[in-house]
Amino acid sequence: MMKAPYKAVAALVSASGLAAVMAMAPAASAAKRNTVELTFYYPVGVVGPLSQTMTTLVNRFNQTHPGIHVNAVFSGNYQQTLAKVETAIQGGNPPDVAVLNHTAQFDLIHLQAIEPLDDVVKAGGFYPALTQPKVQGHFWGVPFQRSTVVLYYNKDAFKKAGLDPSHGPNTWSELVADGQKLQKLGMSGIEIPSDGTVYWEFEPFATEAGHNLGGNDGVHVYFNSAAAKTALQFWMDLSHKYHVMPAGILPWNNVPTDFENQKTAMIVHSSGSMASILQNAKFQVGVSFMPAYKSKYRTGVGGGDLYLFKGIPADHRAAALTFIKWMSAPAQAAWWSIRTGYVPTSPQAMQQPEMQAHIKQVPQAKVPVDQLAYAQPELSTYQLNQVYDVIDSAIQSVIDGQSTIAAALDKAQQQADAILAPYRMQ
C-alpha cells in the first residue's frame, strides 16, 4: 500500500532534480562562455621537475581567477619554444602569453609580434640588472624566471682536499689549483657544460677577460675579440694543460648529475638548477660567484621573460595582462624562486616572509641575488637562434679538436656579421 505514494514522491524528487540540473546547465554553459581561455607557452630547459612546478602555479592562478583559464603548453627548451612561437605567429595564431628567453626581444620586435610592457615593468620594482638594456626605448618583457651563472662546489670534498669549504675558488688561478687538489680524491676538478647554449656559460669568462660577446644594439657581436680567445684558451687549458676538466663535449643535463654523483667536485651551471641540485646531492653543496679573471668578477644573466603578443582579442589581452602581473608579483616570484632556484626578481620578492625564511634555511639561494651587482647583459641579437648556433658551433669545434681557437672564432665572427648585416641597414 505504501509503494504508490513512494513512487509518486520519487517521481516528484526526480523531476525536481532534473529541473535543477536543467536550470544549472545554462548557468554552467554561460560561465564557460564567459571564461577567457589563454594559451601560455612555457619552455622547460633546465634540470628538475619544472613542468610540475609550473602546472601547480598555473592551477593556482586558475583557481583564484574564475573568469580566466590558462592552458600551459610545455614547448621544449628556449630555442625550440622561440621557433614554435615564431611559427605560430607566421601562421596567424600567436599565443596570448609566453615565457621566452629575454634575449629574444629583437626577433620578436622585428616580427611586430609583441607589445611593450613599460607600465608593468616600472610598477614591478624589478632589479635593474634584469630589465636592462631597454630596446627602442621600451621594456618588452617582464622578468619572470631569471638566473645567473654560478659555481657549485662539493664542500665535503673541499674539506677532504684541505681546502676552505666556506667559499669556492675566487680566481681562475685558484680554480686550477683547487681542481688539481680535488683530482687526488678520484674525481674531476670541474665540469663546464659545452652543449646546448654553450655561449651562456662561456660569456662570463669572456667578459671577465675584457669584453662581452655582444653589444646592446642587436646587430654587433665580438666573437673573435682578444677576450673571447683568452677565455676559450682557458677552457682548453682546464682539460689539456691542467687536466682538471674532462676533455670533449660535456652535456648540459649530465653535468649536474655528475656533480650529484661526485664524479666532479665543481661545476658551472645555472642558478635555476639550484633547487634540484640541493635536493639530489648527498653532501654539503656550496654556491659561489664565478671565479674572477685576476680581480674582475662577472656573471651572465639568463632566463626568460613574460611576453604579451599582438593580434589577440581584446578580452584575451586584458586577461593576459592580469596573468602577467600576477605571475611576476613578489609573492609568486618568491614562491617560484624557492622551488626552482631562479632569482627572486625584485627586492620586494626577496622580502617576502617565505623567501626570508628560505634564505635562512638555504643561504646558497642568496648568492645569485648578490651576483646581480656584477651581472652583464646576455648576448642578444636579431636572428637569435642562428647567431647562437654560430658561436656554439665554433666553441664546440675547438673543444672537439676540429679547429684552432683563432680560426674558429674568426669564422664565427664572419658568419655572424653576414647574418646581422641586413639589420644594420634598417
Side-chain angles (χ1 to χ4, degrees):
M1 298 291 295
M2 297 293 295
K3 289 182 180 180
Y6 174 81
K7 288 181 178 179
V9 171
L12 180 61
V13 170
S14 177
S16 300
L18 179 60
V21 169
M22 292 179 66
M24 291 171 61
S29 178
K32 187 173 182 179
R33 286 197 304 271
N34 292 330
T35 298
V36 177
E37 297 276 343
L38 296 180
T39 301
F40 168 50
Y41 275 51
Y42 177 73
V44 178
V46 301
V47 294
L50 276 182
S51 58
Q52 295 97 317
T53 308
M54 176 53 72
T55 297
T56 299
L57 191 59
V58 169
N59 286 343
R60 288 177 63 179
F61 175 84
N62 288 337
Q63 291 162 5
T64 55
H65 295 77
I68 306 170
H69 186 86
V70 175
N71 298 298
V73 178
F74 300 117
S75 41
N77 60 30
Y78 282 118
Q79 290 169 306
Q80 292 166 338
T81 301
L82 177 58
K84 290 176 181 177
V85 166
E86 288 175 341
T87 299
I89 291 166
Q90 291 162 0
N93 187 34
D96 300 293
V97 181
V99 169
L100 296 169
N101 196 312
H102 71 107
T103 57
Q105 55 190 345
F106 284 106
D107 278 341
L108 295 170
I109 293 168
H110 181 68
L111 290 171
Q112 299 183 350
I114 54 173
E115 293 192 28
L117 293 168
D118 298 300
D119 291 343
V120 180
V121 172
K122 290 175 183 176
F126 302 103
Y127 287 110
L130 305 181
T131 60
Q132 298 297 333
K134 285 184 176 182
V135 174
Q136 297 181 7
H138 292 291
F139 298 116
W140 297 89
V142 177
F144 174 65
Q145 59 175 43
R146 302 301 295 277
S147 56
T148 63
V149 186
V150 297
L151 184 134
Y152 297 90
Y153 65 98
N154 183 328
K155 286 189 172 185
D156 296 353
F158 267 51
K159 290 179 184 177
K160 291 178 183 177
L163 299 169
D164 185 351
S166 68
H167 62 83
N170 291 314
T171 63
W172 290 13
S173 59
E174 284 186 21
L175 174 62
V176 172
D178 291 355
Q180 289 174 332
K181 291 179 180 179
L182 292 160
Q183 289 271 86
K184 297 176 182 178
L185 302 178
M187 58 179 69
S188 65
I190 187 167
E191 290 187 8
I192 304 173
S194 46
D195 79 340
T197 52
V198 192
Y199 80 90
W200 191 61
E201 300 86 52
F202 177 73
E203 188 167 31
F205 289 90
T207 307
E208 287 183 339
H211 208 297
N212 60 352
L213 294 180
N216 295 330
D217 57 5
V219 296
H220 291 94
V221 298
Y222 308 101
F223 292 167
N224 65 343
S225 68
K229 292 175 181 177
T230 296
L232 191 48
Q233 184 64 62
F234 180 66
W235 273 27
M236 294 300 291
D237 287 347
L238 288 173
S239 297
H240 299 283
K241 180 179 179 180
Y242 305 118
H243 307 290
V244 297
M245 184 165 73
I249 303 297
L250 300 177
W252 168 271
N253 287 332
N254 289 3
V255 167
T257 302
D258 286 351
F259 180 66
E260 292 157 10
N261 292 334
Q262 303 194 63
K263 292 182 179 179
T264 185
M266 296 181 285
I267 63 171
V268 169
H269 219 267
S270 170
S271 62
S273 300
M274 189 182 300
S276 177
I277 289 172
L278 293 179
Q279 179 179 354
N280 293 330
K282 306 304 179 186
F283 51 85
Q284 291 296 310
V285 176
V287 181
S288 280
F289 282 19
M290 290 289 293
Y293 177 68
K294 298 179 180 179
S295 60
K296 189 175 183 179
Y297 286 107
R298 286 290 182 266
T299 189
V301 179
D305 286 352
L306 289 153
Y307 291 97
L308 174 67
F309 287 82
K310 291 182 178 179
I312 60 177
D315 58 343
H316 283 233
R317 182 184 183 280
L321 277 171
T322 298
F323 179 59
I324 289 171
K325 291 174 183 177
W326 185 88
M327 288 282 279
S328 59
Q332 281 66 251
W335 186 93
W336 183 251
S337 175
I338 290 166
R339 287 154 183 83
T340 62
Y342 283 109
V343 177
T345 50
S346 68
Q348 293 83 1
M350 272 294 288
Q351 294 305 315
Q352 294 291 304
E354 186 182 16
M355 192 74 218
Q356 287 294 298
H358 178 67
I359 293 292
K360 288 182 180 178
Q361 184 178 359
V362 186
Q364 298 97 321
K366 192 170 182 293
V367 172
V369 179
D370 293 340
Q371 265 195 320
L372 292 177
Y374 303 94
Q376 298 296 298
E378 185 180 357
L379 173 63
S380 179
T381 68
Y382 292 98
Q383 294 296 328
L384 190 67
N385 283 348
Q386 287 188 47
V387 173
Y388 282 173
D389 284 344
V390 164
I391 185 60
D392 288 351
S393 297
I395 295 169
Q396 289 177 327
S397 72
V398 174
I399 293 173
D400 270 344
Q402 298 174 3
S403 178
T404 66
I405 291 171
L409 294 182
D410 286 347
K411 180 181 177 182
Q413 183 70 44
Q414 293 169 3
Q415 291 176 323
D417 283 343
I419 292 168
L420 297 173
Y423 298 91
R424 293 174 185 162
M425 299 186 300
Q426 293 180 0

